[in-house]
Coordinates of all heavy atoms in Angstrom, one line a residue:
V1 N 6.9 -19.1 -23.8 CA 6.2 -19.5 -25.0 C 4.7 -19.8 -24.7 O 3.8 -19.1 -25.2 CB 6.8 -20.8 -25.7 CG1 6.1 -21.1 -27.0 CG2 8.3 -20.5 -26.0
R2 N 4.5 -20.8 -23.8 CA 3.1 -21.1 -23.5 C 2.4 -19.9 -22.9 O 1.3 -19.5 -23.2 CB 3.1 -22.3 -22.5 CG 1.7 -22.5 -21.8 CD 0.6 -22.9 -22.8 NE -0.6 -23.2 -22.1 CZ -1.8 -23.3 -22.6 NH1 -1.9 -23.0 -23.9 NH2 -2.9 -23.6 -21.9
G3 N 3.1 -19.2 -22.0 CA 2.5 -18.0 -21.3 C 2.1 -16.9 -22.3 O 1.0 -16.3 -22.2
T4 N 3.0 -16.7 -23.3 CA 2.7 -15.7 -24.3 C 1.5 -16.1 -25.1 O 0.6 -15.3 -25.5 CB 3.9 -15.4 -25.2 OG1 5.0 -15.0 -24.4 CG2 3.6 -14.4 -26.3
Q5 N 1.4 -17.4 -25.5 CA 0.2 -17.8 -26.3 C -1.1 -17.7 -25.5 O -2.1 -17.3 -26.1 CB 0.5 -19.3 -26.7 CG -0.6 -19.9 -27.6 CD -1.8 -20.5 -26.8 OE1 -1.7 -20.9 -25.7 NE2 -3.0 -20.4 -27.5
V6 N -1.1 -18.0 -24.2 CA -2.3 -17.8 -23.4 C -2.7 -16.3 -23.4 O -3.9 -16.0 -23.5 CB -2.0 -18.3 -21.9 CG1 -3.1 -17.9 -21.0 CG2 -1.8 -19.8 -21.9
L7 N -1.7 -15.4 -23.2 CA -2.1 -14.0 -23.3 C -2.6 -13.5 -24.6 O -3.6 -12.8 -24.7 CB -0.8 -13.2 -22.9 CG -0.3 -13.2 -21.5 CD1 1.0 -12.5 -21.4 CD2 -1.3 -12.5 -20.5
L8 N -2.0 -14.0 -25.7 CA -2.5 -13.7 -27.0 C -3.9 -14.2 -27.2 O -4.8 -13.5 -27.8 CB -1.6 -14.3 -28.1 CG -0.2 -13.7 -28.2 CD1 0.7 -14.6 -29.0 CD2 -0.3 -12.3 -28.9
E9 N -4.2 -15.4 -26.8 CA -5.5 -15.9 -27.0 C -6.6 -15.1 -26.2 O -7.7 -14.8 -26.7 CB -5.6 -17.4 -26.5 CG -6.9 -18.1 -26.9 CD -7.2 -18.1 -28.4 OE1 -6.3 -18.0 -29.2 OE2 -8.4 -18.3 -28.7
A10 N -6.2 -14.7 -25.0 CA -7.1 -13.8 -24.2 C -7.3 -12.5 -24.8 O -8.4 -12.0 -24.9 CB -6.5 -13.7 -22.8
A11 N -6.2 -11.9 -25.4 CA -6.3 -10.7 -26.1 C -7.2 -10.8 -27.3 O -8.0 -9.9 -27.6 CB -4.9 -10.2 -26.5
R12 N -7.1 -11.9 -28.0 CA -8.0 -12.1 -29.2 C -9.5 -12.2 -28.8 O -10.3 -11.5 -29.4 CB -7.6 -13.4 -29.9 CG -8.4 -13.7 -31.2 CD -8.1 -15.0 -31.7 NE -8.5 -16.1 -30.9 CZ -9.8 -16.5 -30.8 NH1 -10.7 -16.0 -31.6 NH2 -10.2 -17.5 -30.0
R13 N -9.7 -13.0 -27.8 CA -11.1 -13.2 -27.3 C -11.8 -11.9 -26.8 O -13.0 -11.7 -27.1 CB -11.2 -14.3 -26.2 CG -10.9 -15.7 -26.7 CD -11.4 -16.7 -25.7 NE -11.1 -16.3 -24.3 CZ -10.0 -16.6 -23.7 NH1 -9.0 -17.3 -24.4 NH2 -9.7 -16.3 -22.5
H14 N -11.0 -11.1 -26.1 CA -11.6 -9.9 -25.5 C -11.4 -8.7 -26.3 O -11.7 -7.6 -25.9 CB -10.9 -9.7 -24.1 CG -11.3 -10.7 -23.1 ND1 -12.5 -10.6 -22.4 CD2 -10.7 -11.9 -22.7 CE1 -12.6 -11.7 -21.5 NE2 -11.5 -12.4 -21.7
R15 N -10.9 -8.9 -27.5 CA -10.7 -7.8 -28.5 C -9.9 -6.6 -27.9 O -10.3 -5.4 -28.0 CB -12.1 -7.3 -29.0 CG -12.9 -8.3 -29.7 CD -14.2 -7.8 -30.1 NE -15.1 -8.8 -30.7 CZ -15.0 -9.3 -32.0 NH1 -14.1 -8.7 -32.8 NH2 -15.8 -10.2 -32.5
V16 N -8.7 -7.0 -27.3 CA -7.8 -6.0 -26.8 C -7.2 -5.2 -27.9 O -6.7 -5.9 -28.9 CB -6.8 -6.6 -25.9 CG1 -5.7 -5.6 -25.4 CG2 -7.4 -7.3 -24.7
G17 N -7.1 -3.9 -27.9 CA -6.7 -3.1 -29.0 C -5.2 -3.2 -29.2 O -4.7 -3.1 -30.4
R18 N -4.4 -3.3 -28.2 CA -2.9 -3.2 -28.3 C -2.3 -4.3 -27.5 O -2.7 -4.6 -26.3 CB -2.4 -1.9 -27.9 CG -3.0 -0.7 -28.5 CD -2.5 -0.4 -29.9 NE -1.3 0.3 -29.9 CZ -0.7 0.8 -31.1 NH1 -1.3 0.5 -32.2 NH2 0.4 1.5 -31.1
F19 N -1.3 -5.0 -28.1 CA -0.6 -6.1 -27.4 C 0.9 -5.8 -27.6 O 1.4 -5.9 -28.8 CB -0.9 -7.4 -27.9 CG -0.3 -8.6 -27.1 CD1 -1.1 -9.3 -26.2 CD2 1.0 -8.9 -27.3 CE1 -0.5 -10.4 -25.5 CE2 1.6 -10.0 -26.5 CZ 0.8 -10.7 -25.7
L20 N 1.6 -5.4 -26.6 CA 3.1 -5.1 -26.7 C 3.9 -6.3 -26.1 O 3.8 -6.5 -24.9 CB 3.4 -3.8 -26.0 CG 4.9 -3.4 -26.0 CD1 5.4 -3.3 -27.4 CD2 5.0 -2.0 -25.4
Q21 N 4.7 -6.9 -26.9 CA 5.5 -8.0 -26.5 C 6.9 -7.5 -26.2 O 7.6 -6.9 -27.1 CB 5.6 -9.1 -27.5 CG 6.6 -10.2 -27.3 CD 6.2 -11.2 -26.2 OE1 5.1 -11.0 -25.6 NE2 7.0 -12.2 -25.9
I22 N 7.4 -7.6 -25.0 CA 8.7 -7.2 -24.6 C 9.7 -8.3 -24.9 O 9.8 -9.3 -24.1 CB 8.8 -6.7 -23.1 CG1 7.7 -5.8 -22.8 CG2 10.2 -6.1 -22.9 CD1 7.6 -4.6 -23.6
S23 N 10.5 -8.2 -25.9 CA 11.4 -9.2 -26.3 C 12.9 -8.8 -26.0 O 13.1 -8.0 -25.1 CB 11.3 -9.6 -27.8 OG 12.0 -10.7 -28.2
T24 N 13.8 -9.3 -26.7 CA 15.2 -9.1 -26.4 C 16.1 -9.1 -27.7 O 15.7 -9.8 -28.6 CB 15.8 -10.2 -25.4 OG1 17.2 -10.1 -25.3 CG2 15.4 -11.6 -25.9
D25 N 17.2 -8.4 -27.6 CA 18.1 -8.4 -28.8 C 18.8 -9.8 -28.9 O 19.3 -10.1 -30.0 CB 19.1 -7.3 -28.7 CG 20.0 -7.4 -27.5 OD1 19.7 -8.2 -26.6 OD2 21.0 -6.6 -27.4
E26 N 18.7 -10.6 -27.9 CA 19.4 -11.9 -27.9 C 18.8 -12.8 -29.0 O 19.4 -13.8 -29.3 CB 19.4 -12.5 -26.6 CG 20.3 -11.7 -25.6 CD 20.5 -12.5 -24.3 OE1 20.8 -13.7 -24.3 OE2 20.5 -11.8 -23.2
V27 N 17.5 -12.6 -29.4 CA 16.9 -13.4 -30.5 C 17.7 -13.3 -31.8 O 17.6 -14.2 -32.6 CB 15.5 -13.1 -30.7 CG1 14.6 -13.2 -29.4 CG2 15.3 -11.7 -31.3

């Protein structure tokens, strides 16, 4: 959770074009 949020915030600040989150069917 925290790690994903840190990555998202970095992607937002640096205007990264694509962000792919690898999740699971267990959700």
